[in-house]
Amino acid sequence: MKQRRVVFVVFDGFQSLDLAGPYEVFHQAGAYTCEILAPAPGLVRASSGLPVHAGHGPATLSADGVDTLVVAGGPGVYEARNDAALLSWITVAGSVARRATSVCTGAFLLAAAGLLDGRRVTTHWARAERLAAEHPEVTVDSDPIFVRDGRVWSSAGVTAGMDLALALVEDDLGRDVAHGVARRLVLFLRRPGSQSQFSVGLWSRQPASDPVRAAVSSIHADPGARHDIRDLALRAGISPRHLQRRFTAELGVPPGSYVERVRVEAAQRALAEGDDPVEAIARRCGFGTAETLRRTFHRRVGIAPSDYRDRFHSTAMGGDL
């Protein structure tokens, strides 16, 4: 099998996981040759202080033959934008490579290199407003885990780089290979690009007591089941009134709102990953009717389910947006 050449761009103050996570994914796939480029060959320190050896600098590595360019993020990215030689190399390499990608705030370097003009991209949610303000020529979407817009891919913060790399491997080598890599790296869940950076599982507080933990587990196990307060209280082994108080105190939201959020995310996954009709998804995810799903989707997501599918379905299945 022909080895695809992947070049990672790092700089002083890069986020170490932006490099190490995707690097391991490509290495485990077995069909890639990985190289590291920095403003100058030699030792580069991550924002954590971790030292990494970069084998190349802009003057020592040809941009010809790069299959995939991966630009890391990190707090040093803003200073790295001022390195004219590095930026010039990224512009050339990103233009001739089959794919140009960024992890987290690496999108700032791609944007500064002119590679994101007219593109839709994502970055870490906490830096999305800054990216949009500094680069009005770029459409910034802070919600997805990763985004594909033609030959340009971008991902959210830190660990999302591994999700992006797995999607790139799947695009090249198929779902079975990507799944095998995920298993070897013991990744608990291979998330689709359409998963929100603000998902319940990532952002909600964790239950502090066994009764609330039992209720939350039952909701995630089957979002489409009956989850009114009486049903949840029965599973939790306490009274409905007591569960209502404890659930809200421990998770910061009442049970009804939590159930609705989990159901919306289940519907998002179904829309992005499959072809079932909206009516069937609505029933399976606990909304009852397609109209109820549409109303809830508009309120929670801001668009209709059909529009969400048009926007994300090809990304989840490996096609262009």
Side-chain angles (χ1 to χ4, degrees), residues 6 14 19 30 35 57 63 86 107 110 130 153 171 198 227 232 234 242 264 270 287-288 312:
V6 181
F14 76 97
L19 168 67
E35 300 171 88
L86 179 66
L110 285 189
R130 178 173 179 175
W153 302 60
D171 192 56
F198 309 99
H227 294 307
L232 292 174
L234 184 63
H242 191 193
V264 167
F287 293 97
F312 288 114

Side-chain angles (χ1 to χ4, degrees), residues 5 29 93 97 125 156 177 189 284:
R5 185 179 171 209
W125 61 269
V177 173
L189 176 66
R284 188 168 70 246

Side-chain angles (χ1 to χ4, degrees), residues 50-177:
L50 180 72
V52 170
H53 179 79
H56 305 281
T60 65
L61 185 65
S62 171
D64 294 336
V66 176
D67 178 83
T68 301
L69 177 69
V70 182
V71 180
V77 73
Y78 309 110
E79 180 62 28
R81 293 182 299 178
N82 298 322
D83 188 317
L86 179 66
L87 204 61
S88 177
W89 190 93
I90 291 172
T91 300
V92 174
S95 298
V96 300
R98 183 168 64 94
R99 295 183 296 214
T101 76
S102 62
V103 182
C104 195
T105 52
F108 282 85
L109 266 173
L110 285 189
L115 296 171
L116 300 186
D117 292 6
R119 302 281 189 179
R120 173 175 161 264
V121 304
T122 193
T123 188
H124 192 289
W125 61 269
R127 300 293 178 263
E129 287 188 8
R130 178 173 179 175
L131 181 62
E134 294 184 2
H135 294 279
E137 72 280 6
V138 179
T139 300
V140 181
D141 188 345
S142 64
D143 191 61
I145 294 292
F146 64 83
V147 167
R148 178 181 185 179
D149 188 339
R151 55 181 292 277
V152 175
W153 302 60
S154 54
S155 69
V158 196
T159 59
M162 297 183 77
D163 298 293
L164 172 63
L166 282 166
L168 295 172
V169 170
E170 181 176 331
D171 192 56
D172 290 340
L173 307 176
R175 185 176 296 269
D176 289 345
V177 173

